[in-house]
Amino acid sequence: MPKISDNSNKKIWHLSFTALVLFTLTTTVNAQAPSPLKQDLKNASLEQLLELEVTTASKIAHQVSDSPSAVSIVTSDDIKDYGYHTLAEILNSMRGLSITNDRSYEFLGGRGYSSPGDYSGRIMLLIDGVQVNDNVYNQSYFGNDGLIDTELIDRVEYVSGPGSVSYGNNAFYGIVNVFTKKGADFDGAQAALSAGNYQTHKARLTYGKRLTNGVDLLVSASGLNSEGQTLYFPEFNDGNPAHNNGISHNQDSQRNQRVFAKIEGAFWSIETGYSLRHKDVPTAPYGADFNSPYFINDSSKFVSGQYHTDISNHLKLSVQTDYSDYIYKSSSLYGGEIFPDSAAGRRLGAEAKFSSDWFKNQQVVFGVSYRNDYQRKQVNAALASDQGSQSTSVYAQDEITLNNNIWLNLGARYDYFTDDSDSISPRIALIYEPAPAYTFRLSHSMAHRTPTSFEKYYTDGLTQIPNPDLKMEKVTASELSLERRWSNQSRLLASIYRQITNDSITSTPYSTGLIQYFNTGSTHADGFELELEHHWKNNMRLRTSYAYQDSKDINGNWAINSPRHLGKLNLSTPLLSNALRVGLEVQSVSRRNSGINSQLNGYTISNLTVSTDRLLANLDISLTARNLFDKRYRHIAPDYTAPITSIEQDGRNFWLQLTYGFK
């Protein structure tokens, strides 16, 4: 397998650091200091977006521009302009992130980690500050199995690097926080009808309003149905009559229903979400009978409540409690015999967070949280397991103003797990603004991830055996970033990073026999990222990024499914005196290591969205062409879909959406 030498790594770090220094020295430093303005996101300049308050698991907030880690944002305008209808499409447009689709789920990769089919998400997903990864597989759901319709999203923030200090277990390689809209953003009822290729149809009805007593209400429901495609898998064109010449008929359909509701007062909020998806699986994973019924049902729900208040002039309190559950059911055929499989996870959580400015030039945040995963149940013909778990955490962070342009951010968290060892996660970050338009961030942090119930205890008598001795894995990461802003309309972000994962949890290859998860040695990832944004006064917007990532497995070989180069470009512009808006998106992914002594070719795809809200009052029309030039490209298949080694992705397809607001 291809390798990159240690000397090459050193050169990358030296060149990256030199580039940051040269950029600083050669760019004008007389830009005016930004002033935070309170305007709607729709009319906000880029500078105002950077001054947004980042709301953590509580209502205690800090500025995006003051964050100890680099933050990227996709707004509701971006979602509309580029026709995103899943969270996976949103994340796939962001710097350094990539999506792998195995036609069962969509898996998120970042910072060199993108193991195909790994249910254990190592990037935490939050909705309004509440973690929504399930507690059996620790999986985040980004496709039509997700909890939120994209039309309800106000913005999506991606914070790169470990986040265990703030969020504890599983905030491993980064955090994605989805902020939902308020009822006042709709100010009445809204109905949407959508249609796309593969006989796909969707309907949504939303009502939102700020009531006369100041309470904000949002309620939404939607449903989707898709017949899917007839797919060809050459690996099964082997002369076996049961394999139908490698053609899978009627095995790609899916259905989805969602409900979301939120009610919010001045000092409190309650929200709930529910999603149910049925998906037919065409790839015959885990050696199932090909071209035979194989379906999965995923059901997720959550309820959360938050209350925040000022205890005194110098102390704020935010309290949060939440409940969530996840239910999985599947049915497949092995040798003509039906094999059912199911899982159920339920948990309760609570957190109290305090923020104080008792001490001069210091902002202290501290708190305690408790989580009870009281059900983590897995059932099949060979297994009946229900392994609950509890955790208690205490944490503290202190942001110290050393000078009027230098800040030191210190933090640590202690987590105790009843079914695993305890862990301490520290972080130190230095933030320096040599001039009002420049921000340097240097950070070093550690995070942990305990093994999931699936990794530790699952067996099916066919493909996998358990490993109850599995231990947590840990990551150590260092990052240097530079943010440059000018003209209140432009922003450049450059960062270099190194992360080392110890006791990495890895599974034995399916092709070698029974799967088992175990702790291995250390994996390494080095890389750098560039992101440029510019907003013109005529409301034309550009966002483009490039990421280089050199990720190595425990043997020092090129990590599986980790492209070394990721390029993204998003350009949105008004046309015909603002009668139309056109959004162009280009995504480029370099070749990847497939893990079977071969490489999968890179690809570049383009998406185009044309939208208008000027033809009829209160009516928005949007037409999106995905894979505009009908590029044939493939994603690496998970090992458990053997003999399938790669999966062809969708060709050119269209999505038409009509949205009417009842004002």
Side-chain angles (χ1 to χ4, degrees), residues 305-367:
Q306 296 183 3
Y307 175 77
H308 51 282
T309 185
D310 292 344
I311 298 177
S312 68
N313 292 334
H314 299 283
L315 183 64
K316 299 178 180 180
L317 168 65
S318 182
V319 179
Q320 174 181 293
T321 183
D322 61 270
Y323 163 85
S324 63
D325 66 41
Y326 170 74
I327 298 174
Y328 166 88
K329 293 182 179 180
S330 72
S331 179
S332 54
L333 292 179
Y334 288 83
E337 297 292 327
I338 296 178
F339 183 86
D341 199 14
S342 65
R346 292 177 171 85
R347 70 168 173 242
L348 290 167
E351 179 178 13
K353 178 177 288 189
F354 300 85
S355 176
S356 76
D357 57 359
W358 289 322
F359 310 107
K360 184 179 180 181
N361 297 326
Q362 294 187 53
Q363 185 72 34
V364 180
V365 175
F366 58 96

Side-chain angles (χ1 to χ4, degrees), residues 92-319:
N92 213 26
S93 74
M94 302 182 80
R95 64 175 172 89
L97 298 179
S98 61
I99 293 288
T100 299
N101 184 354
D102 71 348
R103 296 199 174 274
S104 297
Y105 297 100
E106 293 179 278
F107 304 96
L108 179 64
R111 291 280 164 109
Y113 176 83
S114 187
S115 183
D118 192 326
Y119 296 121
S120 301
R122 287 169 169 84
I123 297 178
M124 181 179 286
L125 176 62
L126 309 169
I127 295 179
D128 291 328
V130 178
Q131 182 184 354
V132 292
N133 302 63
D134 75 68
N135 71 340
V136 178
Y137 309 99
N138 189 34
Q139 188 172 356
S140 299
Y141 299 92
F142 303 109
N144 290 310
D145 47 3
L147 281 159
I148 298 293
D149 290 303
T150 56
E151 297 90 343
L152 305 183
I153 296 176
D154 181 62
R155 69 186 187 274
V156 177
E157 295 177 356
Y158 164 57
V159 183
S160 56
S164 283
V165 172
S166 299
Y167 296 102
N169 186 36
N170 296 323
F172 207 64
Y173 291 146
I175 298 166
V176 172
N177 203 345
V178 177
F179 293 88
T180 59
K181 292 181 178 178
K182 297 181 181 295
D185 296 324
F186 294 91
D187 195 29
Q190 185 183 87
L193 295 174
S194 307
N197 288 64
Y198 322 125
Q199 299 185 57
T200 303
H201 304 89
K202 180 181 178 181
R204 176 180 57 85
L205 182 62
T206 302
Y207 177 80
K209 197 77 173 178
R210 178 163 293 161
L211 307 180
T212 55
N213 60 1
V215 172
D216 190 271
L217 174 66
L218 175 63
V219 181
S220 184
S222 68
L224 175 143
N225 185 77
S226 177
E227 294 301 317
Q229 306 174 63
T230 293
L231 299 166
Y232 172 64
F233 297 95
E235 294 88 348
F236 284 101
N237 189 4
D238 54 8
N240 186 338
H243 291 168
N244 195 32
N245 298 317
I247 298 173
S248 178
H249 283 294
N250 301 320
Q251 297 299 315
D252 189 44
S253 66
Q254 64 178 318
R255 301 187 300 273
N256 169 265
Q257 296 88 42
R258 290 190 183 110
V259 177
F260 180 79
K262 180 170 68 171
I263 183 169
E264 189 172 18
F267 304 102
W268 56 271
S269 66
I270 300 172
E271 66 181 75
T272 182
Y274 170 79
S275 174
L276 171 64
R277 183 191 69 149
H278 171 96
K279 180 69 174 72
D280 290 315
V281 181
T283 56
Y286 298 109
D289 296 348
F290 181 74
N291 196 37
S292 297
Y294 191 130
F295 71 82
I296 53 179
N297 290 331
D298 295 288
S299 170
S300 301
K301 72 169 72 75
F302 79 96
V303 181
S304 69
Q306 296 183 3
Y307 175 77
H308 51 282
T309 185
D310 292 344
I311 298 177
S312 68
N313 292 334
H314 299 283
L315 183 64
K316 299 178 180 180
L317 168 65
S318 182
V319 179

Side-chain angles (χ1 to χ4, degrees), residues 131 133-136 169-170 324 345-349 370-377 386-391 417-419 450:
Q131 182 184 354
N133 302 63
D134 75 68
N135 71 340
V136 178
N169 186 36
N170 296 323
S324 63
R346 292 177 171 85
R347 70 168 173 242
L348 290 167
Y370 170 76
R371 172 167 157 168
N372 187 353
D373 294 290
Y374 62 90
Q375 183 181 60
R376 297 190 300 177
K377 186 177 181 180
D386 190 355
Q387 302 288 338
S389 173
Q390 299 178 53
S391 65
F417 304 95
T418 58
D419 67 335
T450 59

Side-chain angles (χ1 to χ4, degrees), residues 567-585:
K568 315 283 180 74
L569 183 144
N570 290 75
L571 178 65
S572 174
T573 183
L575 292 177
L576 302 178
S577 301
N578 291 314
L580 294 175
R581 188 163 192 95
V582 176
L584 173 66
E585 180 175 50

Side-chain angles (χ1 to χ4, degrees), residues 354-424:
F354 300 85
S355 176
S356 76
D357 57 359
W358 289 322
F359 310 107
K360 184 179 180 181
N361 297 326
Q362 294 187 53
Q363 185 72 34
V364 180
V365 175
F366 58 96
V368 59
S369 66
Y370 170 76
R371 172 167 157 168
N372 187 353
D373 294 290
Y374 62 90
Q375 183 181 60
R376 297 190 300 177
K377 186 177 181 180
Q378 301 176 87
V379 177
N380 57 48
L383 174 68
S385 171
D386 190 355
Q387 302 288 338
S389 173
Q390 299 178 53
S391 65
T392 304
S393 309
V394 293
Y395 58 89
Q397 301 178 65
D398 189 5
E399 185 166 292
I400 306 168
T401 302
L402 301 177
N403 203 339
N404 58 2
N405 63 347
I406 303 177
W407 298 266
L408 179 64
N409 188 292
L410 302 173
R413 184 186 188 101
Y414 172 78
D415 294 284
Y416 170 75
F417 304 95
T418 58
D419 67 335
D420 212 313
S421 59
D422 54 359
S423 179
I424 297 176

